Amino acid sequence: MSGPHRTRRHEQDGSRRAVVTGLGVVSPHGIGAEVFWKAVADGTSSLGPVTREGCAHMPLRVAGEVRGFEAAETVEERYLVQTDRYTHFALAGAQLALEDARYGRADVESPYSVGVVTAAGSGGGEFGQRELQNLWGQGSRYVGPYQSIAWFYAASTGQISIRNDFKGPCGVVAADEAGGLDALAHAALAVRGGTDTVVCGATEAPLAPYSIVCQLGYPELSRATDADRAYRPFTSSACGFAPAEGGAVLVVEDETAALERGADVRATVAGHAATFTGASRWAESREGLARAIEGALAEAGCRPEDVDVVFADALGVPEADRAEALALADALGAHARRVPVTAPKTGTGRAYCAAPVLDVATAVLAMEHGLIPPTPHVVDVCHDLDVVTGRARPAAPRTALVLSRGLMGSNSALVLRRGGTAPSRA
């Protein structure tokens, strides 16, 4: 049966399932899902001094930088000159994800069958700062025409779709840090609604002088100078979060379409919910996050005891960490004290909208490898949670719960299940 007929049939009987078939990662741990997973599984930390140009005098001392990334190796010059570093990450991540999914031009039945959805919090700050400095220092004739689009939150969605000729449903989610999970939810909704494939995710590049100055207004930002102590959620020494750049892009497909082209179904996007509680109202985030968890589990048809691992938001602020622990207790009941909880982002830094998407990629890999990665830098857990610390824990997780909260008040929860209705890669 041809593609259009297949799509209409599944729309009518409600059987379309959104599955993950490809992962593309650009992170402080390295480039590519395999390199990233090895570092995460080993409990490696890539936090270190901020070395980006123009940042040496800033009070932010520790962050997760993507080192050794050469955009020109994967992205054509005509796209590079139009875009900021955060979009370079997105273009590279999208290419890696498509390659990982073994999704090529021959698999595109129609350009309208593939969509793109991304999330971004900081936008193209580095590009924007450079062009504004040209304006102030030399005049308007020295400002490039791409200033009008490169800084914008939607730039990555637009450039991924243009570069690959994807003309299906496209969008950008501006929903605070939790928007990274919301972008995946939008992709899953588009797939269930009839789109065969959606390239989705989030990348950030907030380590430029102007961007850092903007972040210095966040009381939750860690000012620690020691990389081992800068980001330690759920501990008595929690002092905020270390920011990061990078991110992840996923290929999400209709399961039937994916299987028909011979793809490996790696995970199912089973449920999602989002709430809002207000900027920096961390005590109130307990209720909002709990309701998001309950909503995601309900959509996934999961009981609390079905959750095998929790990838925590892990802000690193005592009040916020306490609220998250209580939200888990509220939503999962007694199971909250037993389920393994992990926050691998303490080894990379918190990459704003991209942080939960990196967690989703990690969750997929953890379910495939039967291993729950540890939480770097964390030892003295002071909450009633089973936080995985020290070294990775062998397990056989089949259902993962990924959590995210934003500094402006958004809460989001996503439920992933290992594989699909057919055997997946081990």
Side-chain angles (χ1 to χ4, degrees), residues 119-147:
S122 58
E126 187 174 74
F127 192 108
Q129 177 177 340
R130 183 183 68 239
E131 295 302 306
L132 287 175
Q133 286 176 326
N134 288 342
L135 173 65
W136 297 331
Q138 301 180 73
S140 59
R141 292 187 178 183
Y142 293 87
V143 178
Y146 300 116
Q147 162 68 356

Side-chain angles (χ1 to χ4, degrees), residues 43 50 60 64 69 74 101 144 153 156 213 250 253-254 263 295 297 316 356 379 383 388 395 421:
V50 177
L60 174 66
F69 174 76
T74 56
Y153 302 99
S156 294
V213 168
L250 282 66
E253 299 186 64
D254 167 52
L297 291 175
V379 179
H383 297 276
V388 180
T421 56

Side-chain angles (χ1 to χ4, degrees), residues 23 52 60 82 95 125 178 189 224 228 297-298 311 331 340 369 391:
L23 305 174
R52 297 285 297 162
L60 174 66
Q82 301 177 24
Q95 181 174 320
L189 187 63
D228 290 334
L297 291 175
F311 285 81
H369 289 272
R391 61 181 60 186

Side-chain angles (χ1 to χ4, degrees), residues 1-11 15-21 101-104 106-110 113-114 190-192 194-198 251-265 421-422:
M1 183 176 290
S2 66
H5 292 293
R6 180 189 67 229
T7 297
R8 285 196 294 270
R9 184 191 72 194
H10 289 308
E11 282 183 278
S15 64
R16 293 178 66 89
R17 290 158 52 94
V19 299
V20 178
T21 58
R102 301 193 299 276
Y103 192 94
D107 297 305
V108 181
E109 185 172 304
S110 160
S113 68
V114 187
V191 167
R192 295 185 195 118
T195 302
D196 280 346
T197 307
V198 180
V251 176
V252 174
E253 299 186 64
D254 167 52
E255 183 180 37
T256 299
L259 293 174
E260 285 184 358
R261 70 176 188 83
D264 289 333
V265 173
T421 56

Side-chain angles (χ1 to χ4, degrees), residues 154-394:
S156 294
T157 289
Q159 297 290 2
I160 291 171
S161 63
I162 291 169
R163 187 188 189 205
N164 295 280
D165 194 32
F166 295 154
K167 299 180 180 180
C170 290
V172 60
V173 178
D176 208 353
E177 293 167 76
L181 288 189
D182 296 347
L184 270 66
H186 276 267
L189 187 63
V191 167
R192 295 185 195 118
T195 302
D196 280 346
T197 307
V198 180
V199 177
C200 62
T203 57
E204 300 275 20
L207 302 181
Y210 171 75
S211 300
I212 290 177
V213 168
C214 292
Q215 293 168 74
L216 292 176
Y218 299 147
E220 298 87 353
L221 190 74
S222 175
R223 266 62 167 191
T225 58
D226 184 345
D228 290 334
R229 298 179 179 275
Y231 190 14
R232 303 184 67 189
F234 303 120
T235 71
S236 58
S237 57
C239 61
F241 70 90
E245 58 181 2
V249 178
L250 282 66
V251 176
V252 174
E253 299 186 64
D254 167 52
E255 183 180 37
T256 299
L259 293 174
E260 285 184 358
R261 70 176 188 83
D264 289 333
V265 173
R266 307 182 68 169
T268 300
V269 182
H272 168 268
T275 63
F276 182 79
T277 50
S280 296
R281 296 178 180 176
W282 297 118
E284 296 174 32
S285 73
R286 169 185 179 176
E287 180 183 357
L289 187 59
R291 286 192 287 112
I293 294 169
E294 291 165 352
L297 291 175
E299 183 174 273
C302 285
R303 302 168 300 170
E305 54 268 30
D306 292 332
V307 177
D308 298 315
V309 60
V310 175
F311 285 81
D313 175 61
L315 185 63
V317 173
E319 187 181 22
D321 293 346
R322 174 178 169 77
E324 183 169 18
L326 292 172
L328 284 167
D330 293 342
L332 302 183
H335 188 57
R337 294 191 298 272
R338 299 188 297 267
V339 63
V341 175
T342 186
K345 61 169 70 75
T346 61
T348 59
R350 186 180 177 92
Y352 295 102
C353 281
V357 186
L358 283 167
D359 280 345
V360 168
T362 307
V364 172
L365 293 163
M367 290 190 288
E368 290 178 350
H369 289 272
L371 203 63
I372 298 175
T375 307
H377 307 300
V378 171
V379 179
D380 59 322
V381 176
C382 62
H383 297 276
D384 195 10
L385 296 172
D386 180 17
V387 179
V388 180
T389 63
R391 61 181 60 186
R393 184 181 301 178

